[in-house]
Amino acid sequence: MCDGWFFVAEVWQTASPQVEGSVTLLVFTFFWVLITGTERVVRYNSAAWQSRSFLKLVPSLLEREDWDGVLALAEERKRSHVAAVFAGGLREFCVSRRVVSVQWSIEMGKRGARISGNRMHEQLREGLSTFGTIAATAPLVGFFGTCFGILESFRGIAMSRATALGMTALWTAESLVCSAMGVLVAVPTVWCFNWLRDRLSELDAEMDFTFLELVKYLEQQNRAGKL
């Protein structure tokens, strides 16, 4: 174990600035992916949990036509994507109902729900494109460092045979570290990116379903003469 760390330290000491820069950049992106990915997973799970809680309580409030209660419930669950869509549409409907007809109020409610859904979508997808960029470019950054490491190994040609073999092996190992780091960063980033993208698609589908349910509820209330 000590020999392995000693070898890594020796490789790092002899590394060229290009190789050092590549490894440093990859280490930075690795920790960024780790921290941001964890934050996104927590954010998505929090949105799902708050939405389930909202959906359990809102039907009873709608049956009593307690719209203020629905809006208050949504305010308590600011991370819920479902609550954001429902509250955005219902709030816009209630405001416009005072000045325009019921049908126009429903249209304004649709508009408010769509705007809230789009705003929530942008919040949820924040940083997602960066994951895709890192997944695509991390191997290339590692390959860049590997190329310079291999070029450095040709300096051993002018040395004695024994020294040349030792230095060439060291520089080759140095170059392979960059490629290994690139793969190490790219693989978990791809996994994280795919999971977040699929989870975001599920949340978007839930927001679309919520939008349709809100429109259905308002139209039913209108036909029943309760608006």
Side-chain angles (χ1 to χ4, degrees):
M1 184 69 178
C2 293
D3 292 341
W5 282 112
F6 176 77
F7 178 74
V8 171
E10 186 179 0
V11 167
W12 182 255
Q13 289 175 357
T14 60
S16 64
Q18 293 83 2
V19 173
E20 290 181 354
S22 299
V23 173
T24 301
L25 179 60
L26 290 170
V27 170
F28 172 78
T29 54
F30 176 80
F31 282 104
W32 184 92
V33 169
L34 182 64
I35 296 172
T36 307
T38 302
E39 187 274 332
R40 290 285 90 188
V41 170
V42 172
R43 176 69 176 85
Y44 286 7
N45 289 336
S46 177
W49 181 83
Q50 290 190 5
S51 294
R52 286 194 296 267
S53 175
F54 177 80
L55 291 174
K56 288 180 181 178
L57 300 174
V58 75
S60 60
L61 296 174
L62 292 177
E63 289 177 2
R64 300 195 303 267
E65 300 180 17
D66 185 5
W67 295 346
D68 292 334
V70 174
L71 295 176
L73 190 66
E75 285 295 324
E76 296 173 358
R77 293 159 175 77
K78 294 184 179 296
R79 291 197 168 193
S80 170
H81 54 294
V82 170
V85 173
F86 211 101
L90 191 57
R91 186 181 294 108
E92 192 70 26
F93 170 82
C94 292
V95 172
S96 59
R97 181 67 186 88
R98 304 168 185 169
V99 294
V100 296
S101 65
V102 174
Q103 197 57 42
W104 272 109
S105 298
I106 294 176
E107 292 299 322
M108 294 300 293
K110 292 180 182 179
R111 177 178 176 274
R114 283 299 187 191
I115 292 175
S116 297
N118 291 336
R119 186 181 297 115
M120 180 60 68
H121 172 80
E122 291 302 318
Q123 293 177 7
L124 292 172
R125 74 179 297 272
E126 183 180 358
L128 190 60
S129 59
T130 307
F131 281 94
T133 302
I134 292 175
T137 57
L140 299 178
V141 174
F143 181 70
F144 172 81
T146 297
C147 290
F148 273 96
I150 292 175
L151 290 175
E152 287 288 326
S153 67
F154 286 110
R155 291 190 301 177
I157 296 177
M159 303 177 184
S160 63
R161 182 174 180 179
T163 304
L165 288 175
M167 294 303 297
T168 299
L170 185 62
W171 286 323
T172 302
E174 168 195 310
S175 65
L176 294 177
V177 168
C178 293
S179 293
M181 282 294 300
V183 174
L184 179 64
V185 172
V187 170
T189 303
V190 170
W191 290 345
C192 189
F193 173 74
N194 289 336
W195 187 90
L196 293 175
R197 183 183 57 184
D198 294 341
R199 195 74 178 93
L200 180 59
S201 298
E202 294 175 5
L203 299 180
D204 285 340
E206 292 174 0
M207 287 192 288
D208 290 338
F209 179 76
T210 301
F211 170 80
L212 295 176
E213 285 295 308
L214 175 62
V215 173
K216 178 182 176 182
Y217 168 77
L218 293 177
E219 291 179 345
Q220 286 178 344
Q221 294 292 101
N222 183 31
R223 287 193 295 267
K226 298 181 180 181
L227 297 181

